[in-house]
Amino acid sequence: MPTEPETGYDPELGRKFVFVTGGVMSGLGKGITAASTGRLLSNAGFDVTAVKIDPYLNVDAGTMNPYQHGEVYVLKDGGEVDLDLGNYERFLGTDMTFDHNVTTGKTYKHVIEKERAGDYLGNTVQIIPHITDDIKRRIREAAEGTDVCLVEVGGTVGDIEGMPYLEALRQFAHEEAEGDVLFTHVTLVPYSKNGEQKTKPTQHSVKELRSIGLQPDILVGRCEDRLDPETKEKIALFCDVPTDAVFSNPDVEDIYHVPLMVEEEGLDEYVMERLNIADEALPKAERDSRWRELVTRERTGEIQVALVGKYALEDAYMSIHEALKHAGIEKQVDVDVLWVDADEMRDHHTERLREADAVVVPGGFGSRGAEGKIEAIRYARENDVPFLGLCLGFQMAVVEYARNVLGLDGAHSAEIDEETPYPVIDLLPEQYDLEDLGGTMRLGAHTTDLVEGTLAHRVYDADSCTERHRHRYEVNPEYIDDLEAGALTFSGRAGNRMEIVELDDHPYFLGTQFHPEFRSRPDRASPPFVGLVDAVLDRVADEREVEA
């Protein structure tokens, strides 16, 4: 098919596509199902990428409350996206770009801007073909140069905001040869009170999908346990798919075990057969087995890390949880995260700090919880507890030191207290004239030079590091000399910007203006997190020696 002259859509980009939709309810884990399938295809030698479709009207996730969608994940090019993109990066071991996230806001904004510029030559601009072609264009351009592209459609089939995307996928399948596109539908298979696995929600979900012209090729049932053979047969009968196209995806203790479960079910092999690429796959004996070796690695102990934040929702700090898990995998220990509410710390959460072997203060915005975070940092500093501060945690470490070591009473960040007499953290110079909030922070990957002989240099074992950023404020240059007059050192710098802070007289006290958690992978744990776990293990070993 030729390129559409009106919309610029090229239907020939891309090779093989797997579209993943969800039914019954949101939050079923269709993203993890897709990422796990992608991991296995990658193990088999294929170049795999992923696209996440988010039907909300936001252009990106940057201005969204973490309570609604979890953390805002930052990509190397500065894209602020849904946390599912983080899962794809961790499972596939590849770096995504903002082009791998399609939102309604982004799509409509582009089409409307083209209409205002007169690019549609006076034609009536409509959902079909203009919006649907733009959706298809984005998917194909993200897939270009890869073997298989996984496309996850956010939300649930039947949601009104998702209808243009499902129509675009229907058109997409019409343009492709049979065997180049697969539709995978993930649904909930609940238990009745008498312990029977119920298929009716799946039947209704597939009925909804079929009513808009999409027939699923694969059905994945999310359930507490594996689907019974009778359940699979019933789903196959009423949803018009072969029985061997119905797969279980039961609950597991660790999401990194889902690829192992998917492999046991044979979903990856079925996908390769249906896409006609099974003959191109590596022989099973030659496939990459590092994932299985990593996630099943024996743990020899357990440590507890206090996470001091203000969002009592694990998804709000997902990448930090995962980075701690990765460090634990590397050091062969389980890392148990203790939630510490920064708002309530002064009342009763201080006790949780005493239970912990280390303290992590994450990023964030606004004044809520700031004083609790500062108290937690002071506790870690004064009691030689291994500490890692990230973004706002880095800034609050500077504030705590200015207040309690330098004696600058009332020192603070200008973001939190505009009237502070000592604004040791101030607005980035380039931020003063900005009016829009969305997409205007210092974002994405930037390189930091590391000072030789420092903790940061030892942790990274390099002269520089490249990590992802998301901030508007930074250390005020006017206070750097005073801050560095004692034990505090800025051991990482990007030009005149302070990127890493550490204390010379502390076993492990490290703060980073960047977010190292966003580049952490199961097979490539983030150095600051590995350093934190190492410091805890060294401390435990020293305590045992003293006791002996």
PDB file of all heavy atoms in Angstrom, residues 35 65 87 96 130 138 150 162 184 207 209 266 331 366 392 402 494 496 526-527:
ATOM      1  N   ALA A  35       5.531  -7.822  28.597  1.00  0.00           N
ATOM      2  CA  ALA A  35       6.975  -7.706  28.808  1.00  0.00           C
ATOM      3  C   ALA A  35       7.624  -9.072  28.985  1.00  0.00           C
ATOM      4  O   ALA A  35       8.746  -9.308  28.503  1.00  0.00           O
ATOM      5  CB  ALA A  35       7.255  -6.833  30.029  1.00  0.00           C
ATOM      6  N   ASN A  65      -0.575  12.961  39.201  1.00  0.00           N
ATOM      7  CA  ASN A  65      -0.362  12.592  40.596  1.00  0.00           C
ATOM      8  C   ASN A  65       0.001  11.108  40.691  1.00  0.00           C
ATOM      9  O   ASN A  65      -0.706  10.261  40.129  1.00  0.00           O
ATOM     10  CB  ASN A  65      -1.641  12.875  41.398  1.00  0.00           C
ATOM     11  CG  ASN A  65      -1.440  12.765  42.893  1.00  0.00           C
ATOM     12  OD1 ASN A  65      -0.841  11.803  43.374  1.00  0.00           O
ATOM     13  ND2 ASN A  65      -1.945  13.732  43.635  1.00  0.00           N
ATOM     14  N   ASN A  87       8.884  -1.039  33.177  1.00  0.00           N
ATOM     15  CA  ASN A  87       8.872  -2.508  33.154  1.00  0.00           C
ATOM     16  C   ASN A  87       9.404  -3.044  31.832  1.00  0.00           C
ATOM     17  O   ASN A  87      10.156  -4.019  31.799  1.00  0.00           O
ATOM     18  CB  ASN A  87       7.446  -3.024  33.394  1.00  0.00           C
ATOM     19  CG  ASN A  87       7.025  -2.916  34.841  1.00  0.00           C
ATOM     20  OD1 ASN A  87       7.841  -3.086  35.745  1.00  0.00           O
ATOM     21  ND2 ASN A  87       5.753  -2.622  35.073  1.00  0.00           N
ATOM     22  N   MET A  96      14.068   2.717  25.930  1.00  0.00           N
ATOM     23  CA  MET A  96      12.970   3.242  25.119  1.00  0.00           C
ATOM     24  C   MET A  96      13.151   4.743  24.913  1.00  0.00           C
ATOM     25  O   MET A  96      13.986   5.384  25.551  1.00  0.00           O
ATOM     26  CB  MET A  96      11.632   2.978  25.816  1.00  0.00           C
ATOM     27  CG  MET A  96      11.368   1.522  26.133  1.00  0.00           C
ATOM     28  SD  MET A  96      10.973   0.590  24.654  1.00  0.00           S
ATOM     29  CE  MET A  96      10.805  -1.055  25.342  1.00  0.00           C
ATOM     30  N   HIS A 130      -7.738  10.675  10.172  1.00  0.00           N
ATOM     31  CA  HIS A 130      -6.611  11.482  10.641  1.00  0.00           C
ATOM     32  C   HIS A 130      -6.055  11.007  11.985  1.00  0.00           C
ATOM     33  O   HIS A 130      -4.839  10.835  12.146  1.00  0.00           O
ATOM     34  CB  HIS A 130      -7.018  12.960  10.691  1.00  0.00           C
ATOM     35  CG  HIS A 130      -7.457  13.485   9.372  1.00  0.00           C
ATOM     36  ND1 HIS A 130      -8.770  13.466   8.958  1.00  0.00           N
ATOM     37  CD2 HIS A 130      -6.746  14.006   8.349  1.00  0.00           C
ATOM     38  CE1 HIS A 130      -8.850  13.965   7.733  1.00  0.00           C
ATOM     39  NE2 HIS A 130      -7.638  14.308   7.334  1.00  0.00           N
ATOM     40  N   ARG A 138       2.540   6.223  14.536  1.00  0.00           N
ATOM     41  CA  ARG A 138       3.403   6.208  15.728  1.00  0.00           C
ATOM     42  C   ARG A 138       3.844   4.791  16.078  1.00  0.00           C
ATOM     43  O   ARG A 138       4.994   4.545  16.456  1.00  0.00           O
ATOM     44  CB  ARG A 138       2.674   6.856  16.905  1.00  0.00           C
ATOM     45  CG  ARG A 138       2.441   8.354  16.717  1.00  0.00           C
ATOM     46  CD  ARG A 138       1.643   8.962  17.865  1.00  0.00           C
ATOM     47  NE  ARG A 138       1.352  10.363  17.607  1.00  0.00           N
ATOM     48  CZ  ARG A 138       2.186  11.373  17.870  1.00  0.00           C
ATOM     49  NH1 ARG A 138       3.370  11.112  18.408  1.00  0.00           N
ATOM     50  NH2 ARG A 138       1.834  12.610  17.602  1.00  0.00           N
ATOM     51  N   LEU A 150       5.736  -5.210  20.530  1.00  0.00           N
ATOM     52  CA  LEU A 150       4.617  -5.453  21.434  1.00  0.00           C
ATOM     53  C   LEU A 150       3.906  -4.132  21.676  1.00  0.00           C
ATOM     54  O   LEU A 150       4.541  -3.133  22.020  1.00  0.00           O
ATOM     55  CB  LEU A 150       5.128  -6.015  22.764  1.00  0.00           C
ATOM     56  CG  LEU A 150       5.969  -7.284  22.682  1.00  0.00           C
ATOM     57  CD1 LEU A 150       6.788  -7.452  23.942  1.00  0.00           C
ATOM     58  CD2 LEU A 150       5.083  -8.497  22.453  1.00  0.00           C
ATOM     59  N   GLY A 162     -10.716   4.682  24.813  1.00  0.00           N
ATOM     60  CA  GLY A 162      -9.881   3.743  24.078  1.00  0.00           C
ATOM     61  C   GLY A 162     -10.399   3.366  22.706  1.00  0.00           C
ATOM     62  O   GLY A 162      -9.703   2.697  21.923  1.00  0.00           O
ATOM     63  N   THR A 184      -3.613 -10.382  21.543  1.00  0.00           N
ATOM     64  CA  THR A 184      -3.615 -11.085  22.824  1.00  0.00           C
ATOM     65  C   THR A 184      -4.508 -10.324  23.785  1.00  0.00           C
ATOM     66  O   THR A 184      -4.348  -9.110  23.961  1.00  0.00           O
ATOM     67  CB  THR A 184      -2.192 -11.177  23.410  1.00  0.00           C
ATOM     68  OG1 THR A 184      -1.362 -11.896  22.499  1.00  0.00           O
ATOM     69  CG2 THR A 184      -2.198 -11.884  24.752  1.00  0.00           C
ATOM     70  N   LYS A 207     -16.663 -10.654  24.031  1.00  0.00           N
ATOM     71  CA  LYS A 207     -17.834 -10.202  23.271  1.00  0.00           C
ATOM     72  C   LYS A 207     -17.726  -8.709  22.966  1.00  0.00           C
ATOM     73  O   LYS A 207     -18.027  -8.263  21.843  1.00  0.00           O
ATOM     74  CB  LYS A 207     -19.103 -10.485  24.074  1.00  0.00           C
ATOM     75  CG  LYS A 207     -20.392 -10.062  23.376  1.00  0.00           C
ATOM     76  CD  LYS A 207     -21.602 -10.355  24.252  1.00  0.00           C
ATOM     77  CE  LYS A 207     -22.892  -9.880  23.584  1.00  0.00           C
ATOM     78  NZ  LYS A 207     -24.085 -10.115  24.453  1.00  0.00           N
ATOM     79  N   LEU A 209     -14.950  -6.993  22.749  1.00  0.00           N
ATOM     80  CA  LEU A 209     -13.861  -6.827  21.796  1.00  0.00           C
ATOM     81  C   LEU A 209     -14.320  -7.167  20.379  1.00  0.00           C
ATOM     82  O   LEU A 209     -14.018  -6.453  19.410  1.00  0.00           O
ATOM     83  CB  LEU A 209     -12.686  -7.708  22.213  1.00  0.00           C
ATOM     84  CG  LEU A 209     -11.317  -7.450  21.584  1.00  0.00           C
ATOM     85  CD1 LEU A 209     -10.827  -6.050  21.915  1.00  0.00           C
ATOM     86  CD2 LEU A 209     -10.311  -8.491  22.090  1.00  0.00           C
ATOM     87  N   GLY A 266       4.083 -22.173  27.613  1.00  0.00           N
ATOM     88  CA  GLY A 266       4.322 -22.295  26.178  1.00  0.00           C
ATOM     89  C   GLY A 266       3.802 -21.129  25.361  1.00  0.00           C
ATOM     90  O   GLY A 266       3.694 -21.227  24.123  1.00  0.00           O
ATOM     91  N   LYS A 331      23.963  -8.950  45.129  1.00  0.00           N
ATOM     92  CA  LYS A 331      24.677  -9.281  46.371  1.00  0.00           C
ATOM     93  C   LYS A 331      24.104 -10.520  47.051  1.00  0.00           C
ATOM     94  O   LYS A 331      24.529 -10.897  48.144  1.00  0.00           O
ATOM     95  CB  LYS A 331      24.635  -8.095  47.343  1.00  0.00           C
ATOM     96  CG  LYS A 331      25.118  -6.763  46.768  1.00  0.00           C
ATOM     97  CD  LYS A 331      26.453  -6.868  46.062  1.00  0.00           C
ATOM     98  CE  LYS A 331      27.607  -7.207  46.978  1.00  0.00           C
ATOM     99  NZ  LYS A 331      28.907  -7.138  46.265  1.00  0.00           N
ATOM    100  N   GLY A 366       7.086  19.602  46.252  1.00  0.00           N
ATOM    101  CA  GLY A 366       6.213  20.232  47.230  1.00  0.00           C
ATOM    102  C   GLY A 366       6.697  20.088  48.655  1.00  0.00           C
ATOM    103  O   GLY A 366       7.666  19.385  48.953  1.00  0.00           O
ATOM    104  N   LEU A 392      15.072  14.992  45.234  1.00  0.00           N
ATOM    105  CA  LEU A 392      14.690  15.789  46.398  1.00  0.00           C
ATOM    106  C   LEU A 392      15.421  15.289  47.640  1.00  0.00           C
ATOM    107  O   LEU A 392      15.776  16.094  48.514  1.00  0.00           O
ATOM    108  CB  LEU A 392      13.178  15.735  46.613  1.00  0.00           C
ATOM    109  CG  LEU A 392      12.645  16.579  47.779  1.00  0.00           C
ATOM    110  CD1 LEU A 392      12.885  18.053  47.534  1.00  0.00           C
ATOM    111  CD2 LEU A 392      11.161  16.306  48.021  1.00  0.00           C
ATOM    112  N   ALA A 402      23.171  22.006  56.060  1.00  0.00           N
ATOM    113  CA  ALA A 402      23.273  23.457  56.241  1.00  0.00           C
ATOM    114  C   ALA A 402      22.671  23.881  57.574  1.00  0.00           C
ATOM    115  O   ALA A 402      23.227  24.723  58.284  1.00  0.00           O
ATOM    116  CB  ALA A 402      22.568  24.168  55.089  1.00  0.00           C
ATOM    117  N   ALA A 494      28.297  18.458  36.950  1.00  0.00           N
ATOM    118  CA  ALA A 494      28.057  18.623  35.519  1.00  0.00           C
ATOM    119  C   ALA A 494      28.265  20.100  35.217  1.00  0.00           C
ATOM    120  O   ALA A 494      27.360  20.912  35.388  1.00  0.00           O
ATOM    121  CB  ALA A 494      26.642  18.186  35.152  1.00  0.00           C
ATOM    122  N   ASN A 496      28.954  23.571  36.212  1.00  0.00           N
ATOM    123  CA  ASN A 496      28.822  24.247  37.506  1.00  0.00           C
ATOM    124  C   ASN A 496      27.651  23.725  38.328  1.00  0.00           C
ATOM    125  O   ASN A 496      27.268  24.327  39.325  1.00  0.00           O
ATOM    126  CB  ASN A 496      28.676  25.767  37.298  1.00  0.00           C
ATOM    127  CG  ASN A 496      27.425  26.124  36.509  1.00  0.00           C
ATOM    128  OD1 ASN A 496      26.766  25.250  35.952  1.00  0.00           O
ATOM    129  ND2 ASN A 496      27.097  27.416  36.453  1.00  0.00           N
ATOM    130  N   SER A 526      21.935  -0.785  39.647  1.00  0.00           N
ATOM    131  CA  SER A 526      22.443   0.587  39.735  1.00  0.00           C
ATOM    132  C   SER A 526      23.555   0.681  40.773  1.00  0.00           C
ATOM    133  O   SER A 526      23.390   0.252  41.919  1.00  0.00           O
ATOM    134  CB  SER A 526      21.295   1.524  40.127  1.00  0.00           C
ATOM    135  OG  SER A 526      21.791   2.802  40.466  1.00  0.00           O
ATOM    136  N   PRO A 527      24.718   1.253  40.423  1.00  0.00           N
ATOM    137  CA  PRO A 527      25.853   1.337  41.355  1.00  0.00           C
ATOM    138  C   PRO A 527      25.532   1.974  42.710  1.00  0.00           C
ATOM    139  O   PRO A 527      25.957   1.442  43.742  1.00  0.00           O
ATOM    140  CB  PRO A 527      26.902   2.131  40.564  1.00  0.00           C
ATOM    141  CG  PRO A 527      26.613   1.796  39.145  1.00  0.00           C
ATOM    142  CD  PRO A 527      25.120   1.707  39.063  1.00  0.00           C
TER     143      PRO A 527
END
